[in-house]
Amino acid sequence: MSSEQKETLRATAANANLTSYEEARRTFDWSEVEKHFTWHSTGKVNMAYEAIDRHAEGGLADKVALHYSDATRLEAITYAQMKANSNKFGNVLRQLGIGKGDRVFIFMPRSPELYYALLGTIKIGAIVGPLFEAFMEQAVRDRLEDSQAVAIVTTPSQLPRVPVADLPHLKHVILVGDDLLQLAAGQVDFKAEMAQASDELAIEWVDREDGLILHYTSGSTGKPKGVFHVHNAMIQHYYTGRIVLDLKEDDVYWCTADPGWVTGTSYGVFAPWLNGATNVVRGGRFKPQDWYDTIERFKVTVWYSAPTSFRMLMSAGDDTVKAFDLSSLRHVLSVGEPLNPEVVRWGFKAYGQRIHDTWWMTETGGQLICNYPSMDIRPGSMGKPIPGTDAAIIDDNGNVLPPNRMGNLAIKTPWPSMMRAIWNNPAKYEEYFRFPGWYVSGDSAYMDEDGYFWFQGRVDDVINTAGERVGPFEVESKLIEHPAVAEAGVIGKPDPIRGEIIKAYIALREGFEPSDELKADIAKFVKEGFAAHAAPREIEFKDKLPKTRSGKIMRRVLKAWELGLPTGDLSTIED
Ligand code: 6R9
């Protein structure tokens, strides 16, 4: 396909922070961004200071740092208050003897207290480990054991899922709840301690390469990996906040991700606050009406969410959109999974906004391949590498492939927010860097002749049917264009003749019933609208598809079902 024929949404944002992508790629220099931070004069730094205190002391004291809301709470917290409360929590930890380099985990639902705890931990130089609130005991155990955490911040209702007795190094359990009466040995009452703690704190000034955060992420097999990041990541968080999120002084920014997922910290905590924006956090479960209400109520201008949410909003229909005033929105972004062209088209129609896809990983710490307000969007493409980095498609021997060839998506090393280790597992870390000069992502993609990158699937998910390599994403994207299809997960099912055949698991939209006619109609739709070889030969309807808590369809679970094999580590599965 030549690029002229490719569907394009033209750039419209003339006053974006990044005015010319091409020029920035030629002239950009990370050392310019570094000058923005304290270390430039002192040699020492602290992420939480740069994100909060600097603004609290620099004229934004009374600006709202956080608009928090859920079904029962509505609170606006200023930068000055955020500074004071995170200082208090830093003091609470210090009084317990916790300090630089110690691992402190957070295992609780979103709330203002979660953010005080996260920032306070960082302020004393400890390493924070955020967990999804819904983790079960085994998932909590694996992570606390591997990291040898000394403390966990949690709630009374989640406490039964913290296997304290099995974790000898876990000395302190800090409980966030009301009227805690009887505390067992090692338990600490968050609210009582915060009430008497000083709001002045001597910040732990650290080196750029000192530990910041440990994000556990599930591999397809084996135990979760502890992806280790350092304070230096702030360079990338700040910069991508400017050029990708396009944050400006008056923005009200909402990232819908939970801090248990890297998106909820890099872009739910660090990037917005490093840029001095007002941040919105909505607690509780996803509901279309609540989400639109959040945009309307806080007049959200920049909105960062995930394909799974956009697909659910699309399923909820245009009338739901019309019931709210979403006119404050000026910039919308997506991450976590491939963003189907149909979703981009719908978003343009329903919100009048181009949804900007962004690609990155827990391991990369920050955004790497993105669409920018000042760049044309090709629906279905992840975009182009951020200035200051380079990406390529390489073969299994590390050779760079020409345009339009499917292969391993790789990033040229290094970049500021790159992981610095897999905790306790140097061998695993080295695997990512097996070709000198490259980080190998494990994703399969191709680059078109104009430098746009197109995701195909995880390398393990690519299907080989009758000699043709088919990325599951393109088939799924075609499937969801069918009016009956809400979500689709596509896998290769072993077949004696074709090697693999394409099998689609499909969740139907409301109002549609499973039937053989519908299966045939859907298969025909892909065959005629996309390609005969990519049409599913088998379709199975499901009420729901298995997804991670960050909304990724778990194709490997579909495949394990299909083959009757064990499903591997399921600690991050949603239900
Ligand atoms: C931030 C985050 C990383 C994996 C990644 C890829 C998938 C993320 C994507 C995307 C297609 C995008 N992924 N963004 N695939 N298009 N824009 O998601 O981190 O949870 O570690 O997942 O997610 O497969 O390798 P993480």
Side-chain angles (χ1 to χ4, degrees):
M1 211 193 305
S2 88
S3 38
E4 293 78 61
Q5 293 166 319
K6 280 199 180 113
E7 185 183 354
T8 299
L9 295 180
R10 292 270 167 231
T12 47
N15 53 0
N17 287 338
L18 180 74
T19 46
S20 165
Y21 172 78
E22 298 304 334
E23 182 180 325
R25 279 199 71 79
R26 280 193 305 274
T27 60
F28 178 76
D29 184 351
W30 286 112
S31 64
E32 286 302 308
V33 186
E34 293 181 10
K35 291 192 186 138
H36 185 77
F37 299 105
T38 311
W39 73 56
H40 203 65
S41 48
T42 64
K44 294 278 185 177
V45 77
N46 187 299
M47 172 74 94
Y49 171 83
E50 299 292 335
I52 300 296
D53 298 25
R54 198 160 64 117
H55 301 305
E57 292 158 12
L60 300 185
D62 297 327
K63 177 173 180 169
V64 175
L66 175 63
H67 278 301
Y68 178 81
S69 70
D70 62 28
T72 61
R73 280 175 88 172
L74 178 64
E75 279 177 47
I77 295 135
T78 64
Y79 272 93
Q81 291 167 330
M82 195 57 100
K83 174 184 169 186
N85 286 316
S86 52
N87 278 355
K88 285 183 176 203
F89 189 73
N91 283 319
V92 171
L93 289 183
R94 277 217 179 118
Q95 280 161 19
L96 297 171
I98 297 170
K100 190 175 169 195
D102 288 335
R103 275 78 64 207
V104 175
F105 275 67
I106 299 181
F107 178 46
M108 63 188 289
R110 271 171 279 186
S111 67
E113 290 75 21
L114 186 158
Y115 293 87
Y116 305 155
L118 191 144
L119 293 163
T121 301
I122 293 170
K123 279 187 171 176
I124 63 156
I127 298 166
V128 69
L131 300 177
F132 284 109
E133 61 168 295
F135 273 153
M136 297 318 255
E137 183 177 323
Q138 186 63 44
V140 177
R141 183 199 314 268
D142 286 346
R143 288 156 177 81
L144 268 62
E145 210 163 62
D146 184 62
S147 62
Q148 307 242 306
V150 299
I152 188 167
V153 187
T154 188
T155 62
S157 65
Q158 288 167 278
L159 187 58
R161 286 181 269 141
V162 183
V164 184
D166 307 342
L167 298 165
H169 45 269
L170 186 70
K171 298 280 186 316
H172 312 283
V173 176
I174 302 165
L175 287 169
V176 186
D178 293 318
D179 309 318
L180 304 176
L181 292 174
Q182 283 187 324
L183 294 173
Q187 291 183 349
V188 176
D189 181 337
F190 177 94
K191 289 194 176 162
E193 294 301 318
M194 289 286 278
Q196 55 79 37
S198 164
D199 60 8
E200 309 243 340
L201 175 84
I203 291 208
E204 184 80 38
W205 297 108
V206 299
D207 291 329
R208 291 160 58 165
E209 293 297 316
D210 279 331
L212 171 76
I213 196 165
L214 199 48
H215 265 294
Y216 278 84
T217 177
S218 280
S220 44
T221 52
K223 298 263 180 197
K225 300 171 276 190
V227 179
F228 177 62
H229 288 288
V230 298
H231 285 254
N232 191 65
M234 72 177 70
I235 303 174
Q236 191 144 358
H237 295 151
Y238 168 75
Y239 177 63
T240 50
R242 268 190 75 72
I243 67 149
V244 182
L245 303 179
D246 195 41
L247 291 173
K248 305 194 177 100
E249 183 117 346
D250 295 330
D251 275 314
V252 178
Y253 165 79
W254 182 29
C255 168
T256 61
D258 186 281
W261 181 29
V262 67
T263 306
T265 57
S266 293
Y267 295 98
V269 174
F270 304 133
W273 283 331
L274 287 168
N275 279 279
T278 291
N279 204 5
V280 171
V281 170
R282 167 84 204 176
R285 288 188 78 97
F286 172 87
K287 212 173 132 215
Q289 284 80 359
D290 288 351
W291 277 35
Y292 290 146
D293 180 67
T294 300
I295 295 172
E296 182 179 277
R297 180 189 302 262
F298 299 111
K299 299 196 167 43
V300 170
T301 55
V302 180
W303 183 29
Y304 197 13
S305 197
T308 181
S309 307
F310 290 121
R311 285 193 298 260
M312 287 193 274
L313 292 168
M314 187 165 103
S315 284
D318 292 5
D319 288 345
T320 322
V321 181
K322 291 193 191 103
F324 295 86
D325 178 3
L326 307 181
S327 59
S328 57
L329 286 176
R330 71 163 181 85
H331 187 35
V332 182
L333 307 98
S334 171
V335 66
E337 267 205 307
L339 181 64
N340 319 84
E342 183 64 8
V343 177
V344 178
R345 283 176 215 126
W346 175 79
F348 199 55
K349 196 169 56 106
Y351 307 136
Q353 295 290 326
R354 311 185 313 161
I355 305 180
H356 296 71
D357 194 12
T358 65
W359 177 94
W360 56 290
M361 304 173 69
T362 306
E363 293 88 334
T364 72
Q367 295 161 336
L368 282 176
I369 299 180
C370 301
N371 289 281
Y372 313 86
S374 55
M375 188 178 91
D376 292 350
I377 286 179
R378 294 190 176 163
S381 161
M382 312 186 277
K384 298 187 182 186
I386 61 168
T389 63
D390 233 328
I393 305 300
I394 63 176
D395 68 15
D396 292 339
N397 298 315
N399 304 308
V400 174
L401 293 172
N404 296 318
R405 292 268 305 277
M406 204 197 290
N408 301 293
L409 175 60
I411 310 292
K412 189 164 269 172
T413 57
W415 60 92
S417 66
M418 189 168 90
M419 65 172 166
R420 296 303 199 263
I422 300 286
W423 198 263
N424 273 337
N425 199 341
K428 196 85 194 165
Y429 181 77
E430 293 305 326
E431 278 174 27
Y432 292 91
F433 302 98
R434 59 185 177 276
F435 301 122
W438 295 105
Y439 162 85
V440 184
S441 67
D443 284 352
S444 172
Y446 70 90
M447 186 188 79
D448 69 20
E449 58 276 24
D450 300 312
Y452 284 83
F453 283 79
W454 301 76
F455 180 84
Q456 298 296 294
R458 291 292 293 166
V459 168
D460 297 342
D461 293 338
V462 171
I463 302 162
N464 200 324
T465 180
E468 301 257 15
R469 298 229 296 159
V470 178
F473 170 55
E474 288 187 322
V475 185
E476 289 162 8
S477 282
K478 192 66 207 175
L479 285 165
I480 73 159
E481 287 178 22
H482 189 285
V485 178
E487 293 208 281
V490 163
I491 60 162
K493 175 180 174 175
D495 179 83
I497 296 163
R498 295 185 168 78
E500 287 180 308
I501 58 159
I502 294 175
K503 169 154 185 183
Y505 286 86
I506 287 174
L508 291 174
R509 284 198 189 210
E510 258 170 64
F512 288 90
E513 292 299 324
S515 72
D516 286 343
E517 294 73 55
L518 185 54
K519 282 186 188 173
D521 190 62
I522 291 172
K524 183 162 159 259
F525 181 79
V526 178
K527 195 169 173 178
E528 290 175 359
F530 183 58
H533 74 271
R537 293 191 166 255
E538 227 178 280
I539 290 178
E540 189 171 330
F541 294 119
K542 289 268 172 200
D543 289 342
K544 278 192 201 166
L545 299 179
K547 282 190 207 155
T548 65
R549 281 172 208 293
S550 59
K552 294 188 215 302
I553 296 171
M554 297 176 93
R555 296 189 189 85
R556 68 176 172 84
V557 171
L558 296 173
K559 190 131 184 176
W561 285 349
E562 194 57 52
L563 303 178
L565 292 173
T567 42
D569 175 30
L570 287 184
S571 60
T572 60
I573 203 164
E574 201 174 44
D575 287 303

